Amino acid sequence: MSYQDCTKLFDQFKAAVNTNDVQTAKRLLAQLKIQLTQLTSLPPVLEKSSNAQKEITLARDTLELAVFLSVKMEDEAAFERNYQQLQMYTSDARGLLLPSQHQNLITGLNLLRLLVQNRIAEFHTELELIPQEIQQEAHIKHATQLEQQLMEGAYNKVLSAKSNVPDQSYLYFMDKLISTVRDEIASCSERAYKQLSVPEAQKLMLFTSAKEALQFAEERSWQVKGDVVYFDQQAQDDLKDLPAVELMNHTLTYARELERIV
């Protein structure tokens, strides 16, 4: 298949992504990836030709759209796979391409994904590869600020960050991160309190309504009687049974890890 044929297929793929026709886009992406392998100007061959820059740009744009499609599909495995394939075009073929307007957005999305998956070491490895001046760009800074807030335990700031995302594509990962944060607050609450009033639980879990707090309580199998939420007694019993030496060792380990990261 020629470059022109790949271009036509790409235009169909792009239209399907932009109209949220996920199934059509997924099918066209599979076809397009196969056809692109026939273009010898792409990495790792990088054969020189009159169309080389156009072909490499087309392949990069395809993978960028594939990353956005994976977010729409809520498929984190596909996101990681497409992101890794895209890295060939920011390394091996970097000197042959004009800068992409989506590069910082996609880099920020990947950092956010690593936060959601609690892959903190990889988060910092990726961050070290980003030039210092680019780290101040809005898409990148959003992820680094979230990581700092998580380290500080400033969960209210993490939840409020959803209303200030630099792009709508961040919302999927933000929702997952907020869910993780709420679960962490809930786990701490189970150990710190025997009971809370519904308004107190709503405020503590950072819900916007009592209805959301009650639904969350049901999901956690908490008992609700009247206007009071009763936590799982087993969680508090487990805390009492935790040996003091073991607790100290955990605390020291966390402190060493924090010092290493800082």
Side-chain angles (χ1 to χ4, degrees), residues 12-140:
Q12 295 174 30
F13 170 55
K14 183 177 181 180
V17 173
N18 290 339
T19 57
N20 294 319
D21 187 352
V22 172
Q23 293 305 315
T24 299
K26 186 177 178 181
R27 174 176 54 80
L28 291 171
L29 174 61
Q31 295 176 17
L32 188 53
K33 281 187 174 183
I34 293 172
Q35 299 305 327
L36 285 171
T37 61
Q38 299 179 27
L39 302 180
T40 56
S41 61
L42 305 186
V45 180
L46 292 175
E47 183 178 295
K48 294 183 179 179
S49 70
S50 57
N51 277 336
Q53 186 179 46
K54 291 181 180 179
E55 291 175 356
I56 294 171
T57 300
L58 176 64
R60 181 196 64 186
D61 292 349
T62 297
L63 289 170
E64 287 184 341
L65 269 179
V67 168
F68 294 131
L69 175 62
S70 65
V71 175
K72 292 176 183 288
M73 295 168 56
E74 300 183 357
D75 187 338
E76 293 177 40
F79 181 102
E80 183 167 7
R81 183 168 59 253
N82 289 314
Y83 181 82
Q84 292 300 333
Q85 292 172 1
L86 180 60
Q87 296 318 292
M88 290 190 295
Y89 297 89
T90 59
S91 55
D92 297 354
R94 186 174 185 177
L96 303 173
L97 291 168
L98 295 174
S100 167
Q101 61 178 336
H102 300 305
Q103 183 172 340
N104 291 336
L105 190 161
I106 291 174
T107 301
L109 269 174
N110 184 57
L111 290 172
L112 187 53
R113 175 185 67 88
L114 293 173
L115 274 184
V116 168
Q117 296 176 348
N118 199 29
R119 293 160 65 175
I120 305 303
E122 292 176 64
F123 175 93
H124 285 280
T125 299
E126 289 288 326
L127 193 60
E128 288 175 4
L129 299 175
I130 302 172
Q132 195 67 37
E133 63 274 13
I134 297 180
Q135 290 185 25
Q136 300 306 310
E137 196 272 340
H139 297 93
I140 312 297

Side-chain angles (χ1 to χ4, degrees), residues 217-234:
E218 183 178 353
E219 293 171 359
R220 299 281 301 193
S221 299
W222 295 338
Q223 292 187 11
V224 180
K225 296 180 180 179
D227 198 35
V228 179
V229 177
Y230 294 88
F231 297 115
D232 183 9
Q233 185 62 40
Q234 184 63 44

